[in-house]
């Protein structure tokens, strides 16, 4: 069906790797709304943020006018250990689907962290090291981000304290061991190590923890320990900046062949992968140089874009972090227990929220069993066992390719394959055994959280 | 320390990929001894083997004169989904060790099976399909081979029955789930499905199984079911032939830079990776065109090269398979229970055994805790979490690099990084917790098995 002039996999040469990250906000006419101080409701200033984040990252977080940030040589050297990631032409999938569509995916799973998270982890660890810090703290749920940060810190000789949601710590011992291999200390959260942890344990003995609680513990330790700062793997502007390397590499590779995607698809939890993948393409769209369809794919069980509200909300469940204007389900929203994998954040990147609000991007939600069906199909055809998160994008890419088969259109589809599912086999097992179920919150459940949104004009 | 003119990672273009496998035996003056029929002690004939293996594979198994076998286009297309594998210049490791040595490794772990096993799995499945068979059977211990075969069979629409050693089936549920994702049927062995399984279960109720038993079950099913054949992931000549793609790609990449390795290092269980990696280099040595040092690395707990005997022995514990002349610890040898990971086969590829016997290759054994220490060190420095098997080669590569530091020699070292350790975190956990121990069999234990070797000429 295909002429195969374009290789199955395109790896850029090291000399072709991006030398700067692209700051999408610089080209946005309608800038994302600023973070607000939860006490004063005034925009957060650099000095307020620098107690939590290291200085260069605060600068990146707040700068919405500089289009490019040079990637320091040390970070580029680290990138060379696992980048360029391949841009894959999915010939086998196209043939199996008998579609005239041309399908490409950017595969970010070929590193030990198993996902794209490493792109920002090394950047954040690098700036912490450069500032002379001793270490960083963070939280992790499923474990991809914690693993990535552990790897980056091991490389730079930086201390790394990870607060891992207790239920994950116990159910995903292998993720924990990978982090220990990289020398990180991994503490099940809530713990007795922090005031907030002790308070929660006193109030809720036997709790299995939540991401919100782990964030609170990590922030407490970072702000109360000399030489430490807190780092976060998604949602923030700085993270989208670092992740732009995904989209930049994709674009360089596609440009080589004169290929212009019609549709660009990514899964969306906090937005780190989607924001990174679409960045340079969205930049062209914002500057009026080209047009693309962008599709954010989220789980039906945690549908912030498709069923949430565009409003100021807390970034954490504990309501200690700044307020961000974003599509949110409310900071008290917790996905149903049957929800597998990541993409369980109640909110969404401010940048992506603004783009969606301005009609520059589409969003859709998909059911969990459909996602795993697509994941298994893809694994058998293309060989790669995808992470459940990534399989959200696969599901919609397949749907779009089948629509092309129906219409006879030869559209070009690009999607982000963010990672591998080697540590998600419990979810796959449930799927194989027919024990996986679907769940969408009712309107009442969603409204119950939305009515509690903070009142900010 | 290094000028970095050579990239961190070298990926060949698709057009540069090998179009033929190299058959090392063609250049050996002293050919590996033939397989013997266990009943008659006469060399096995093609017609005897073709009840077990499919015809083209029998031809490859017995041919020790044809230097090249063309790789069929369908297999090359499959290879393109995950090959070329990168040849990595270990700049970070060199710098950390402060060695003048130049270290390269060929990384075979970037595919879902997590190892080099896929190179032969797709070839064996392809010939089975081409012969019009319905399916194949095999055994798996740690699970790398079973996973690779499942992937190959899913791609070709071939049925795949895997007999998995019961203790692994229970302790490694995630490996099992990956195989199920690829549509394989996975049966804990011994099972009630076969005569030999029922016999063993009657004699040893509650047994947790062994590789020898799983082989017997897989062979019984293959030979008694219409349209099925048995396939094996190591030891055999055909497997070394397919795995030559590792060495061929390595050599093409090194030749580009005019780099000639001084030392080539690989871990050795049955010999599939080592044989594949060294093939084209050993060919040059055999033809007198170049010289290299080759080092086989085996675990101290299963030291077939370094402490075994070069003799005819059974390939399986159940003594139903042909006899092979090889370095062996005796078909009754079972590594100590504290042994982690693979490399637990009692014998060794006949081809490699002959080369070692003729002084063309060295061998050394390493202790388990040293191996995991090297694994963790490597993970932190080079980013990749290695399989325990691969870490045997890492350990000796580091030792050789440190010897260069001592002597000031700028040797070039190439080693095979066969796979990733994502499914081996139980062993890593033991190592982190200080619960991993070393074991070497006593001379008495080894002799107790060696005296039982079959009496052949």
């Amino acid at each position: 069906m295909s002429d195969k002039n374009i290789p199955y996999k395109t790896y850029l040469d090291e000399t072709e790797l991006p030398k700067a990250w692209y700051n999408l906000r610089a080209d946005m006419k309608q800038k994302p709304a600023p973070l607000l101080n939860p006490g004063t409701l005034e925009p957060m200033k650099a000095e307020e943020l620098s107690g939590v984040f290291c200085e260069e990252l605060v600068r990146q977080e707040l700068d919405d006018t500089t289009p490019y940030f040079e990637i320091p040589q040390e970070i580029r050297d680290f990138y060379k250990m696992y980048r360029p990631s391949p841009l894959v032409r999915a010939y086998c999938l196209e043939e199996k689907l008998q579609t005239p569509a041309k399908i490409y995916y950017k595969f970010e799973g070929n590193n030990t962290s198993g996902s794209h998270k490493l792109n920002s982890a090394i950047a954040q660890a690098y700036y912490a090291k450069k500032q002379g810090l001793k270490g960083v703290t963070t939280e992790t749920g499923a474990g991809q981000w914690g693993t990535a940060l552990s790897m980056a810190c091991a490389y730079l000789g930086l201390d790394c304290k990870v607060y891992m949601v207790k239920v994950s710590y116990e159910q995903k011992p292998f993720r924990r061991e990978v982090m220990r291999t990289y020398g990180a200390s991994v503490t099940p959260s809530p713990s007795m190590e922090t005031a907030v942890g002790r308070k929660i344990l006193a109030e809720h003995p036997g709790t299995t923890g939540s991401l919100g609680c782990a964030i609170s513990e990590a922030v407490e330790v970072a702000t109360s320990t000399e030489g430490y700062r807190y780092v976060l793997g998604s949602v923030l502007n700085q993270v989208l900046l670092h992740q732009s390397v995904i989209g930049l590499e994709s674009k360089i590779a596609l440009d080589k062949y004169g290929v212009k995607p019609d549709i660009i698809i990514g899964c969306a939890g906090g937005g780190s992968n989607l924001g990174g993948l679409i960045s340079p393409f969205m930049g062209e769209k914002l500057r009026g140089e080209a047009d693309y369809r962008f599709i954010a794919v989220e789980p039906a069980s945690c549908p912030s874009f498709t069923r949430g509200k565009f409003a100021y909300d807390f970034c954490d469940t504990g309501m200690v972090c700044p307020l961000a204007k974003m599509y949110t389900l409310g900071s008290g929203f917790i996905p149903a227990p049957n929800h597998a994998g990541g993409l369980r954040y109640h909110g969404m990147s401010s940048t992506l929220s603004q783009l969606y609000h301005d009609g520059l991007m589409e969003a859709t939600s998909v059911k969990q069993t459909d996602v795993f069906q697509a994941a298994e199909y893809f694994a058998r055809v293309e060989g790669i066992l995808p992470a459940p998160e990534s399989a959200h994008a696969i599901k919609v890419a397949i749907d779009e390719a089948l629509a092309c088969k129906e219409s006879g259109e030869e559209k070009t589809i690009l999607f982000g394959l963010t990672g591998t599912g080697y540590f998600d086999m419990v979810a796959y097992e449930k799927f194989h055994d027919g024990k996986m179920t679907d769940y969408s919150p009712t309107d009442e459940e969603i409204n119950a959280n939305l009515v509690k949104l903070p009142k900010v004009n």
Side-chain angles (χ1 to χ4, degrees), chain A:
Chain A
M1 184 159 288
S2 303
D3 47 19
K4 302 198 180 176
N5 285 335
I6 290 171
Y8 279 64
K9 291 187 296 175
T10 301
Y11 289 101
L12 300 180
D13 284 344
E14 279 179 14
T15 52
E16 298 170 302
L17 292 181
K19 293 186 175 54
W21 293 302
Y22 169 59
N23 183 14
L24 179 56
R25 289 166 292 163
D27 282 312
M28 290 170 72
K29 285 184 195 86
Q30 192 67 45
K31 307 288 183 191
L35 294 171
L36 298 187
N37 182 309
T40 64
L41 298 185
E42 291 296 315
M44 290 289 284
K45 297 192 187 72
E47 52 272 30
E48 294 173 304
L49 284 170
S50 62
V52 181
F53 301 117
C54 64
E55 283 154 27
E56 177 59 26
L57 292 169
V58 170
R59 195 171 76 83
Q60 294 179 358
E61 188 64 31
L62 298 178
D63 186 336
D64 58 11
T65 55
T66 306
Y68 287 96
F69 285 78
E70 193 188 328
I71 307 175
Q73 185 62 47
E74 293 87 340
I75 297 177
R76 287 170 56 205
D77 281 348
F78 185 87
Y79 278 173
K80 285 178 195 166
M81 289 210 294
Y82 72 100
R83 307 199 69 82
S85 69
L87 178 77
V88 186
R89 174 72 184 268
Y91 283 120
C92 298
L93 182 61
E94 290 171 19
E95 192 164 318
K96 190 80 174 181
L97 294 172
Q98 290 286 302
T99 175
K102 293 168 183 12
I103 309 174
Y104 295 84
Y105 55 91
K106 181 70 167 168
F107 179 41
E108 292 287 320
N110 268 351
N111 69 75
T112 292
S113 82
S115 81
H116 66 293
K117 295 283 183 184
L118 198 51
N119 301 330
S120 185
I122 184 61
Q124 296 192 47
Y126 168 77
Y127 291 117
K129 177 83 178 177
K130 205 178 162 203
Q131 194 175 319
L133 298 176
K134 288 183 202 152
V136 291
T137 72
T138 199
E139 77 292 328
T140 200
Q144 284 182 343
W145 167 247
T147 309
L149 189 66
S150 305
M151 290 176 68
C153 288
Y155 179 78
L156 294 169
L158 210 59
D159 188 35
C160 180
K161 292 182 193 296
V162 180
Y163 289 84
M164 187 170 186
V165 177
K166 191 181 275 177
V167 60
S168 292
Y169 182 91
E170 285 162 1
Q171 287 181 356
K172 293 197 164 189
F174 296 166
R175 272 281 184 211
R176 183 187 73 207
E177 283 311 317
V178 178
M179 289 184 257
R180 285 180 77 197
T181 302
Y182 286 94
S185 82
V186 188
T187 306
S189 167
S191 76
M192 294 298 284
E193 288 182 9
T194 65
V196 65
R198 288 189 292 274
K199 181 162 177 284
I200 290 168
L201 284 170
E203 287 170 9
H204 307 280
T207 176
T208 56
S210 74
L211 211 48
C213 171
I215 292 177
S216 303
E217 289 203 82
V219 171
E220 178 184 321
V221 172
T223 51
S224 63
T225 314
E226 175 74 27
Y228 280 76
R229 291 294 184 282
Y230 168 73
V231 295
L232 181 66
S234 191
V235 183
L236 297 173
N237 294 321
Q238 57 186 269
V239 177
L240 265 68
L241 176 70
H242 307 147
Q243 294 295 357
S244 69
V245 71
I246 305 172
L248 291 166
E249 277 188 10
S250 302
K251 189 154 188 334
I252 294 167
L254 288 170
D255 283 351
K256 277 191 173 197
Y257 308 122
V259 170
K260 194 183 148 299
D262 298 294
I263 312 173
I264 302 174
I265 301 167
C267 62
S272 67
N273 149 69
L274 179 68
L277 175 68
I278 69 173
S279 277
F281 303 99
M282 182 62 87
E284 287 190 315
K285 183 163 175 167
L286 290 167
R287 297 190 301 269
E289 297 164 9
D291 196 18
Y292 304 96
R293 266 185 78 196
F294 300 100
I295 310 177
V297 189
E298 56 187 16
S301 56
C302 190
S304 27
F305 267 140
T306 52
R307 297 179 68 196
K309 195 171 163 184
F310 187 47
Y312 265 107
D313 192 11
F314 288 96
C315 290
D316 64 324
T317 316
M319 303 189 191
V320 299
C321 292
L323 299 169
K325 190 168 182 187
M326 57 185 175
Y327 278 86
T328 179
L329 295 161
S331 63
F333 183 86
I334 293 173
N338 74 340
H339 177 83
L343 309 183
R344 45 172 61 241
Y345 186 61
H346 68 275
M348 183 58 66
S349 143
S350 289
T351 299
L352 294 182
S353 292
Q354 189 64 50
L355 292 167
Y356 180 60
H357 183 71
D358 294 341
L360 291 156
M361 192 171 74
E362 303 168 32
T364 186
S365 74
V366 288
K367 288 194 295 181
Q368 178 155 273
T369 53
D370 289 345
V371 164
F372 276 82
Q373 194 170 29
E376 183 173 278
Y377 184 88
F378 183 82
R380 293 185 186 186
V381 175
E382 285 283 321
I384 298 169
L385 184 83
E389 294 86 346
S390 323
H392 287 70
I394 294 172
K395 162 66 181 156
V396 173
I398 289 176
D399 286 349
E400 290 292 335
L402 291 175
C404 286
K405 184 179 180 178
E406 197 73 25
S407 67
E409 288 172 286
E410 287 190 28
K411 287 186 186 165
T412 297
I413 299 168
L414 168 66
F415 72 89
L417 190 69
T418 56
T420 50
Y422 307 139
F423 293 95
D424 299 283
M425 296 317 296
V426 169
Y428 273 93
E429 184 173 15
K430 270 193 187 160
F431 174 70
H432 296 147
D433 292 342
K435 291 179 182 161
M436 179 168 278
T437 53
D438 291 311
Y439 178 79
S440 300
T442 62
D443 289 341
E444 289 69 31
E445 286 170 296
I446 286 185
N447 286 331
N449 279 293
L450 291 182
V451 295
K452 293 182 205 153
L453 286 178
K455 304 289 174 269
V456 182
N457 55 6

